[in-house]
Amino acid sequence: MPTINKILFFPVLCCLFLFALFLVVPAAYAENFYIQNYDVLIEANEKKSVKVTENIDVSFLHPSHGIIREIPHKKASITNIRTQGKSSISNIGKTVEIKLGSAEKTVSGIQNYRITYNYNYHDNKNEFYH
């Protein structure tokens, strides 16, 4: 009889370990913030470009240095990037990365981030999807 208990104990222990792992891992990878409101205004211009204004209301759960906004641009370019407050802008392949916030200062609670930029299309079509 003790042998059956030992045989059943190992699978039950493995199942409990996996269950506990699924509870702990998502919490470890959870974001420190959530987006409370995301408002985008897109104005079509001539010469296949649009002016984009993004207003992002972010609620930080713990003190943080800000957020990172990545904007992909396949067959397009992004120009005239303007942000409210401190930021840094990098071109990484076919993505523009905008770090909104400061490495020296932390923020908490609800913060508003505003980004404006021109998205310029470089294809031969007479229509676009954004």
Side-chain angles (χ1 to χ4, degrees):
M1 195 73 150
T3 308
I4 294 174
N5 287 340
K6 287 181 183 178
I7 292 171
L8 290 176
F9 178 73
F10 183 71
V12 169
L13 184 64
C14 287
C15 288
L16 287 173
F17 175 75
L18 289 174
F19 180 72
L21 185 67
F22 284 118
L23 290 177
V24 173
V25 170
Y29 289 103
E31 291 287 344
N32 183 32
F33 65 88
Y34 64 92
I35 296 175
Q36 202 168 38
N37 186 42
Y38 184 77
D39 184 42
V40 180
L41 174 65
I42 300 175
E43 300 173 46
N45 300 319
E46 294 180 16
K47 299 182 182 177
K48 296 187 70 167
S49 73
V50 293
K51 180 181 177 185
V52 180
T53 303
E54 299 182 13
N55 270 305
I56 308 167
D57 292 328
V58 179
S59 181
F60 289 97
L61 304 174
H62 305 285
S64 181
H65 293 281
I67 62 171
I68 299 174
R69 172 69 173 103
E70 294 180 343
I71 306 169
H73 56 90
K74 185 178 179 181
K75 296 184 181 181
S77 62
I78 297 175
T79 57
N80 299 329
I81 300 172
R82 295 202 172 111
T83 63
Q84 171 186 353
K86 190 164 184 164
S87 64
S88 67
I89 301 167
S90 305
N91 247 324
I92 303 171
K94 292 289 183 184
T95 302
V96 169
E97 181 182 86
I98 306 170
K99 293 182 179 178
L100 301 157
S102 170
E104 297 86 36
K105 181 183 170 189
T106 59
V107 294
S108 58
I110 299 172
Q111 301 294 317
N112 177 267
Y113 296 99
R114 183 183 176 99
I115 309 167
T116 61
Y117 55 90
N118 290 346
Y119 197 96
N120 311 295
Y121 294 88
H122 301 296
D123 58 20
N124 296 326
K125 297 179 182 174
N126 289 329
E127 59 185 26
F128 66 88
Y129 295 94
H130 191 82

